[in-house]
Amino acid sequence: MQITSDMLTTMNDAYRANPVMKAAALAMGHQPLNEVVFNCENAAKGRFLFNHEVETMKVTNQKSSGRCWLFAALNLFREIAAKKMNVEFFELSQNFIAYYDKLEKANYFLDSIMQTLDLPKDDRMVTYIVSTGIQDGGQWDMMANLVKKYGLVPKAAMPETFQSENTRSLNAAINIKLRRAAAILRREYRGGASTEALNSICRETLADVHDMLTAGYGCPPESFDLEYKDKDDNFVRVAGLTPKTFFDQYIAFPFDEYTSVIHSPTDDKPFGRNYTVRFLGNVVGGDAISYLNADLSVMKKAIMETIDAGETVWFGSDVGWFMDRANGTLVNDLTDYSPLFGGMAFDTTKEEKLDYRMSAMNHAMTITGYHEVDGQPVRWKIQNSWGEDRGEKGYYMMTDEWFDNFVYQAVVKKSLLPAELVAQLEKPPITLDPWDPMGTLAD
């Protein structure tokens, strides 16, 4: 179909004759569109009241970075450490773990290029790797690989820097370095360069990235002294800790007891199966991404039992839909475009939203509570990492209907899941392409 002058005339005449469009133009001329279509009636569903919740510390702030997946995990871990230390407030170094994430991602990128040297440069896999480069986002299993390899440190041992809190420009510079290396590696490979010569290019590039990161983020401590005052006003000093001994002594999170459950109701991913994603990771030689796809009822039951046991839950969702950032609410139909623009994507199914790239996980937070009526959850309490000036001092409220539509992943204990589902982890996983919606990173 071509757009003709007759079609334009018909559409223009219909627009001018429509008083709703006149009102829309007046409103949109001075207000953001999401405020013009804000549904105050549905916003009233956002009650911050919960009859099951875990007491947690004040929220953190990832600033202008896409490190939510790390912040959400460290928010979970710091509660464990704070109890062992008997302190009111404690924060782990997000900078420390983000530094190693970027360094490992750079190496993962170079390794991926080495694995695909035989493919044409316009092959979809090569294009994906090169266009993606390195970025802030990540997944639970990627975080676990980092902590297992490097440990963790208190925030005082490696504080934030301007670059760690404002990552865009340094990310861009590192990606220039890595894409240049990709071009050189593929050129040298076509010219018959030896494997050792190619590896030398990778090592030189990685050394350059190391220097860029260290200049921007600082040098991670190999050892440090832990000092704090506990709730009883006792001064405590533990000298000579390493990042790994600190993790082992104060956190010791049992990663092997947990797994990621996803909800992807698409016909290409049957429930009750284990999945992984090709070329999605950060640590070469680390554990692969692993997902168990299950019905939402399985996920919710495990989350509720986790909260009841006094633990919080790392989860991933799509906050691009129906989020009131100022008031901290996640409510279905919080915005309503239909009076102005007719049918939008809001009446599509979760499956259609995934299949047609309308939605995918893009942000990780922690669930710290829920409100139950007649045995069923009706809303959930969320700890975000966007500072205290949004929501209820940084905490958000998610209705259960919003959960149904836009929550895609949660990390829970295997023991809380059906045995037949956990048994799938012993079988070879189904491998998804990296551009699959379940390959989306939280940032």
Side-chain angles (χ1 to χ4, degrees):
M1 181 181 72
Q2 293 183 352
I3 297 178
T4 65
S5 58
D6 288 343
M7 288 173 62
L8 283 172
T9 298
T10 300
M11 289 188 289
N12 287 334
D13 289 345
Y15 174 85
R16 295 188 186 99
N18 188 344
V20 174
M21 288 299 98
K22 178 66 174 179
L26 291 172
M28 291 169 63
H30 295 278
Q31 294 291 331
L33 178 57
N34 64 313
E35 294 184 13
V36 172
V37 297
F38 187 79
N39 190 320
C40 294
E41 183 177 348
N42 284 338
K45 298 177 182 178
R47 298 186 64 197
F48 279 83
L49 180 65
F50 309 92
N51 50 22
H52 299 259
E53 59 182 308
V54 180
E55 184 178 352
T56 49
M57 290 178 275
K58 67 179 182 179
V59 300
T60 52
N61 194 337
Q62 67 189 82
K63 299 291 182 68
S64 296
S65 73
R67 299 173 292 163
C68 65
W69 58 293
L70 294 174
F71 272 72
L74 298 194
N75 284 341
L76 191 160
F77 298 153
R78 69 182 177 139
E79 299 290 343
I80 300 171
K83 288 179 182 177
K84 291 188 178 180
M85 297 161 63
N86 189 34
V87 295
E88 293 282 356
F89 179 77
F90 183 68
E91 196 166 349
L92 293 161
S93 174
Q94 301 92 359
N95 186 17
F96 173 86
I97 203 68
Y99 173 97
Y100 283 116
D101 175 57
K102 291 288 174 60
L103 187 63
E104 289 284 355
K105 279 177 177 170
N107 188 53
Y108 195 93
F109 174 93
L110 295 168
D111 186 77
S112 299
I113 293 297
M114 291 286 284
Q115 290 186 50
T116 55
L117 290 174
D118 285 326
L119 296 177
K121 64 181 178 183
D122 58 353
D123 182 88
R124 187 174 184 182
M125 194 66 72
V126 176
T127 302
Y128 171 84
I129 294 167
V130 174
S131 61
T132 302
I134 64 128
Q135 69 301 108
D136 290 350
Q139 276 279 354
W140 171 267
D141 289 321
M142 294 165 66
M143 176 280 304
N145 282 331
L146 294 168
V147 175
K148 290 176 186 177
K149 184 171 182 178
Y150 295 105
L152 292 170
V153 303
K155 188 168 186 174
M158 190 174 178
E160 295 285 277
T161 70
F162 179 86
Q163 298 301 331
S164 70
E165 294 181 334
N166 301 271
T167 57
R168 184 186 299 272
S169 59
L170 187 54
N171 284 355
I174 292 173
N175 278 322
I176 290 172
K177 176 73 67 174
L178 292 175
R179 288 164 181 151
R180 173 181 178 272
I184 294 172
L185 285 167
R186 293 180 64 84
R187 183 180 68 214
E188 293 298 309
Y189 177 75
R190 292 194 304 273
S194 66
T195 299
E196 178 52 37
L198 297 175
N199 285 335
S200 179
I201 295 169
C202 291
R203 286 191 293 268
E204 291 173 4
T205 302
L206 192 62
D208 288 343
V209 172
H210 167 274
D211 292 348
M212 297 168 75
L213 281 171
T214 307
Y217 285 36
C219 187
E222 296 181 6
S223 64
F224 62 94
D225 299 337
L226 177 65
E227 296 181 331
Y228 61 91
K229 272 193 174 183
D230 66 16
K231 293 179 182 178
D232 302 318
D233 206 34
N234 297 313
F235 179 81
V236 179
R237 182 176 186 270
V238 183
L241 288 170
T242 68
K244 295 194 76 172
T245 58
F246 170 77
F247 175 80
D248 291 341
Q249 292 181 33
Y250 291 92
I251 301 172
F253 187 83
F255 288 105
D256 292 342
E257 295 179 14
Y258 289 74
T259 192
S260 285
V261 178
I262 61 170
H263 182 246
S264 180
T266 52
D267 57 14
D268 62 332
K269 300 181 193 69
F271 287 156
R273 299 295 302 273
N274 184 25
Y275 297 85
T276 191
V277 183
R278 190 180 182 196
F279 287 119
L280 182 65
N282 55 351
V283 177
V284 174
D287 293 332
I289 296 293
S290 179
Y291 301 139
L292 288 171
N293 196 18
D295 186 79
L296 275 178
S297 61
V298 174
M299 182 187 291
K300 289 182 183 180
K301 179 176 181 293
I303 293 173
M304 294 165 70
E305 290 179 357
T306 302
I307 298 298
D308 291 343
E311 299 179 23
T312 60
V313 178
W314 187 104
F315 81 109
S317 61
D318 181 359
V319 296
W321 288 77
F322 305 132
M323 169 182 268
D324 182 351
R325 290 173 179 254
N327 295 309
T329 55
L330 296 156
V331 180
N332 273 14
D333 299 322
L334 195 60
T335 51
D336 185 2
Y337 291 79
S338 57
L340 301 182
F341 305 121
M344 296 286 280
F346 309 139
D347 58 353
T348 53
T349 66
K350 193 172 187 178
E351 177 182 9
E352 289 169 332
K353 287 183 178 70
L354 288 168
D355 283 340
Y356 293 95
R357 303 306 191 266
M358 289 181 270
S359 179
M361 186 191 77
N362 55 30
H363 189 54
M365 300 177 283
T366 54
I367 298 176
T368 66
Y370 66 95
H371 191 73
E372 177 185 34
V373 176
D374 297 330
Q376 297 298 317
V378 295
R379 55 183 176 268
W380 305 80
K381 184 178 181 181
I382 308 301
Q383 184 184 45
N384 204 349
S385 56
W386 291 348
E388 294 185 86
D389 60 344
R390 303 180 187 188
E392 292 284 325
K393 294 185 177 180
Y395 282 83
Y396 282 52
M397 188 286 305
M398 168 176 67
T399 64
D400 194 57
E401 293 82 5
W402 194 95
F403 187 121
D404 290 345
N405 282 278
F406 304 111
V407 169
Y408 291 104
Q409 181 181 2
V411 176
V412 296
K413 282 186 174 179
K414 298 174 186 176
S415 60
L416 300 178
L417 300 172
E420 61 273 18
L421 180 62
V422 177
Q424 291 294 320
L425 294 171
E426 304 302 319
K427 300 178 180 179
I430 297 172
T431 300
L432 306 174
D433 288 323
W435 45 83
D436 187 275
M438 289 301 110
T440 306
L441 299 179
D443 60 10

